[in-house]
Amino acid sequence: MKGIILAGGHGTRLHPITMGISKQLLPVYDKPMVYYPLSVLMLAGVRDILVISSPQDLEGFRRLLGDGSDYGLTITYAQQDEPRGLADAFVIGADHVGGDPVALVLGDNIFHGPGFSGLLQDTVVDVDGCVLFGYPVRDPERYGVGEVDDEGNLLSLEEKPARPRSNLAITGLYFYDNDVVDIAKNLRPSARGELEITDVNRLYLERGKAKLISLGRGFAWLDTGTHDALTEAGQYVQILEHRQGVRIACIEEIAWRMGFIDREACYQLGTRLAKSSYGRYVMDVAAAG
């Protein structure tokens, strides 16, 4: 499976702090925001990843992540000149996806919960159609909302409904079979001129090939699109890391524990950051084995 991180847009809800830097390069407590979606793909076992961003921001991602080889990954880059909808990622990334299934994760979404890696790895084994991830919210009228049967099959999909049929908001993590590339290329743009991911999902729904996995009790799904949400996400990460003594979305540790790199390589990555508590953590977990 190939992976795509969509890290475009202008971050206007976070102005003025995003007027000089990509939103996805902002810190969420102790690491750049993009580490969080990247860690989701890594936990799923996805190692060939395309980062899509605006032309002016791509160099920042290259400086941060390089070609991915330090983490046992292959990371490439593509530009999106203007926001043209989430499904545009599959048009831009068509060559990257090739003939494989693909996972798309939004660059400003944070996921955390028990057993998440196992859930992701089980899901990627055989994607036939699309797999969405839902999260229970108290205000579903603000989101795209999915309704499912007892077996997780998607029954309906509504965008910001006045009378929601469920409380499951569709998160920014999507798994698709290879048909998604042709579907995206043939989508009719919305009134805003964008290729809407909801239209992609509805086509899979019409084919009877759409599933939704509920991320229920014990999971956290955080969007970092506003100043308050960004601060709250940082506080969540800070509290959890201080209480548990582990780092969320530590890509060096994940790369080692997933077998992408060995323990010595993980330790050496930590030494590059040794003046920070983050770097010392990477060194400590590698040394402890």
Side-chain angles (χ1 to χ4, degrees):
M1 174 172 278
K2 301 292 179 60
I4 297 177
I5 300 174
L6 185 57
H10 300 304
T12 53
R13 291 186 297 164
L14 286 169
H15 279 179
I17 59 176
T18 50
M19 293 176 71
I21 186 173
S22 167
K23 171 175 66 175
Q24 291 83 8
L25 292 174
L26 292 174
V28 177
Y29 183 50
D30 58 351
K31 61 190 72 70
M33 187 186 298
V34 73
Y35 274 31
Y36 295 88
L38 176 58
S39 71
V40 170
L41 295 179
M42 294 173 69
L43 288 170
V46 177
R47 301 176 66 174
D48 194 345
I49 298 165
L50 176 69
V51 176
I52 298 176
S53 191
S54 59
Q56 65 269 25
D57 292 322
L58 279 177
E59 187 54 36
F61 288 101
R62 288 193 180 99
R63 286 197 306 270
L64 178 66
L65 300 173
D67 64 3
S69 58
D70 285 346
Y71 315 102
L73 307 173
T74 299
I75 299 179
T76 51
Y77 302 87
Q79 67 181 43
Q80 186 184 50
D81 298 328
E82 290 292 335
R84 291 189 293 270
L86 305 187
D88 188 46
F90 304 114
V91 179
I92 295 171
D95 290 341
H96 167 72
V97 176
D100 295 317
V102 58
L104 170 67
V105 60
L106 304 188
D108 61 357
N109 275 215
I110 296 174
F111 298 85
H112 180 257
F116 193 35
S117 180
L119 174 64
L120 293 171
Q121 291 172 40
D122 288 344
T123 303
V124 303
V125 169
D126 184 23
V127 177
D128 181 20
C130 81
V131 181
L132 311 178
F133 293 83
Y135 187 80
V137 295
R138 69 170 181 268
D139 49 355
E141 64 277 0
R142 294 180 52 232
Y143 301 89
V145 176
E147 178 190 15
V148 295
D149 64 18
D150 292 339
E151 296 180 352
N153 297 304
L154 193 64
L155 299 176
S156 69
L157 188 61
E158 300 175 287
E159 194 67 31
K160 298 182 179 178
R163 296 181 178 179
R165 298 182 183 181
S166 85
N167 68 337
L168 290 177
I170 305 299
T171 70
L173 176 62
Y174 316 85
F175 289 177
Y176 297 99
D177 63 18
N178 192 253
D179 289 349
V180 72
V181 174
D182 286 335
I183 288 174
K185 286 181 177 179
N186 290 290
L187 272 186
R188 178 179 298 177
S190 68
R192 298 183 299 174
E194 297 185 353
L195 302 181
E196 303 287 355
I197 200 74
T198 300
D199 292 337
V200 172
N201 297 335
R202 283 201 180 104
L203 283 170
Y204 278 105
L205 174 60
E206 291 170 4
R207 296 178 180 182
K209 287 192 170 186
K211 289 186 174 293
L212 188 145
I213 296 173
S214 176
L215 302 175
R217 190 182 295 257
F219 271 86
W221 169 54
L222 306 172
D223 186 331
T224 53
T226 67
H227 298 100
D228 286 345
L230 182 62
T231 300
E232 289 167 2
Q235 291 171 338
Y236 172 85
V237 174
Q238 179 190 34
I239 291 170
L240 208 59
E241 291 187 349
H242 283 193
R243 294 276 178 88
Q244 296 185 351
V246 297
R247 301 266 171 168
I248 299 171
C250 177
I251 59 175
E252 296 85 357
E253 181 182 9
I254 293 171
W256 167 48
R257 297 197 185 280
M258 291 293 294
F260 302 164
I261 60 176
D262 61 25
R263 185 168 65 87
E264 178 59 27
C266 180
Y267 185 87
Q268 290 302 319
L269 289 173
T271 64
R272 300 181 191 178
L273 311 169
K275 291 187 177 181
S276 71
S277 60
Y278 180 95
R280 292 191 294 274
Y281 170 82
V282 174
M283 295 167 65
D284 287 346
V285 296

